[in-house]
Amino acid sequence: MKPSRFPFALLPLAAAARGGSFRGLSHIATEIFSFPPTNPIFIENLFVLPDARLLLTSFVHFGPDTNSPLHILNPVTSSVSVVTTLPNSTSQTGIAKLSGTNRYAVTAGILGDNFEFLNNTVNVYVVSLGWDASSATVVDTIPVPGVISANGLVAVGNVVLSADSRGGRILRVDTVTRTSSVAFADPLLFGDPANVSGSLGITGVNGLFLKRHGGQRWVYFTNSARGVYGRFKVNSLGYKVGRMEVLMTATSDDPVGFTNSLDDLVVDGDTDGYIAWQDRSLLKVKRYNNGTTAQTVVLGPGGVATGNTGITLKTPTSVALGLDGGHIYVGTGGAVAGNLTGGQVVKVTI
């Protein structure tokens, strides 16, 4: 008999009361894992599996070869292991679940200078997890030519949309036909090097998150250089429908820069966004029915959660909702004020 999808019990998770997407409860932060300085892996993205374990991509893995490791983390035992390696890559970015039982898409390539991939080294790797998710197999490698940036990733069926941070575009890759194209470009997706110092000045669209509202598919996005949090609709084939919508733009009181930029995100409830805000914060953007927004620092400078004595977010890069909906995982790159450490995973109640 063929094994069913992840036929094992969910890992135990702490219960959390939920009273809607904006709860106003005290946030409790707990560091559940950190790579040691001797293995200072930069966590770029994380994805919660059906059994509550987390897939982790690494932007920089500091290895000597071009077979970057894909990690899996058990948040209960705080143990991490390598489930497979992605050939011909040194850097991984987005993760998205494809249609089917256990297939995931991961974008990766060979990292060059200024956080760019070397041209024509970007691929979408289709990874199949084993029946108990203790190992994985790369079942397909789909080239994405002419691209030096492939960042956040979402899936619409077996089509994935990737954020081209340098080109100000959304890339579309069909994992069935193995074809890639430019879905669309938009000024809201481009960076703003005139107003931002450092290489993130040319990093435009960064994080992507897919959410359904009333039968519509919305892709939420961040723009690192412009400090924009917005969204757009897509159809069942992953093509944009209608206009782009800006939900929040950073103000002059919160200047966006190399160490103060919006990265990956999740959306809880209808439009409440939780955004990894480099270099040390988790930001919540609540959107009200009248279209106005309110920003709150949940964890980090200016908004320290309770129960997190000694916890510092070391370059937050990514966020993911826990299966119980009552907490968020925050992944970090592992650097504070230029001092290289190991990337962390921090659990924060919401």
Side-chain angles (χ1 to χ4, degrees), residues 1-333:
M1 178 182 291
K2 195 171 184 179
S4 61
R5 177 183 178 186
F6 298 107
F8 46 99
L10 296 182
L11 299 174
L13 294 171
R18 288 181 60 83
S21 61
F22 184 72
R23 285 170 285 280
L25 303 177
S26 297
H27 304 286
I28 301 175
T30 307
E31 181 181 280
I32 60 173
F33 181 79
S34 179
F35 284 101
T38 54
N39 187 25
I41 286 177
F42 185 113
I43 298 173
E44 171 64 15
N45 226 314
L46 41 81
F47 190 96
V48 181
L49 298 173
D51 73 329
R53 286 185 286 182
L54 282 70
L55 275 180
L56 310 178
T57 59
S58 53
F59 190 64
V60 184
H61 71 93
F62 300 99
D65 54 28
T66 55
N67 294 280
S68 62
L70 183 65
H71 293 86
I72 191 168
L73 168 66
N74 185 321
V76 176
T77 62
S78 297
S79 59
V80 70
S81 60
V82 175
V83 289
T84 191
T85 58
L86 307 186
N88 302 314
S89 71
T90 61
S91 178
Q92 307 162 3
T93 51
I95 315 172
K97 187 181 185 306
L98 301 171
S99 293
T101 56
N102 60 351
R103 298 187 313 135
Y104 296 82
V106 179
T107 43
I110 297 178
L111 191 63
D113 298 327
N114 290 326
F115 306 109
E116 296 175 353
F117 290 118
L118 298 181
N119 195 27
N120 296 324
T121 68
V122 174
N123 293 287
V124 171
Y125 295 81
V126 179
V127 176
S128 177
L129 292 182
W131 71 273
D132 63 350
S134 63
S135 63
T137 303
V138 177
V139 296
D140 201 359
T141 303
I142 304 169
V144 187
V147 172
I148 60 172
S149 176
N151 215 322
L153 194 70
V154 294
V156 182
N158 287 304
V159 168
V160 293
L161 302 178
S162 177
D164 181 357
S165 302
R166 294 295 192 259
R169 308 175 297 182
I170 299 297
L171 308 173
R172 182 182 184 275
V173 179
D174 189 319
T175 64
V176 175
T177 63
R178 305 185 74 254
T179 56
S180 65
S181 61
V182 177
F184 70 97
D186 191 278
L188 280 175
L189 304 178
F190 279 94
D192 189 12
N195 295 325
V196 182
S197 62
S199 58
L200 282 187
I202 53 176
T203 299
V205 58
N206 192 328
L208 298 179
F209 185 82
L210 182 69
K211 181 78 173 180
R212 293 188 71 117
H213 299 296
Q216 302 290 330
R217 299 174 182 85
W218 290 91
V219 176
Y220 291 79
F221 71 93
T222 57
N223 183 313
S224 292
R226 297 181 182 273
V228 167
Y229 165 53
R231 66 179 184 173
F232 55 90
K233 282 191 289 188
V234 296
N235 62 20
S236 61
L237 299 177
Y239 290 108
K240 183 170 74 75
V241 178
R243 301 175 61 181
M244 307 280 283
E245 181 179 356
V246 174
L247 301 177
M248 181 273 292
T249 302
T251 67
S252 58
D253 294 330
D254 295 311
V256 177
F258 183 75
T259 59
N260 189 16
S261 61
L262 306 180
D263 207 321
D264 283 298
L265 73 158
V266 296
V267 177
D268 179 37
D270 291 332
T271 54
D272 294 346
Y274 289 86
I275 305 172
W277 192 11
Q278 295 192 29
D279 62 8
R280 289 180 294 165
S281 300
L282 171 64
L283 178 69
K284 177 178 180 176
V285 181
K286 177 170 178 60
R287 186 167 184 261
Y288 297 95
N289 292 335
N290 62 5
T292 62
T293 60
Q295 303 175 42
T296 304
V297 176
V298 174
L299 176 63
V304 178
T306 61
N308 66 318
T309 303
I311 292 180
T312 298
L313 290 178
K314 304 172 183 178
T315 310
T317 58
S318 49
V319 285
L321 282 169
L323 294 183
D324 67 355
H327 68 277
I328 280 180
Y329 292 109
V330 183
T332 77

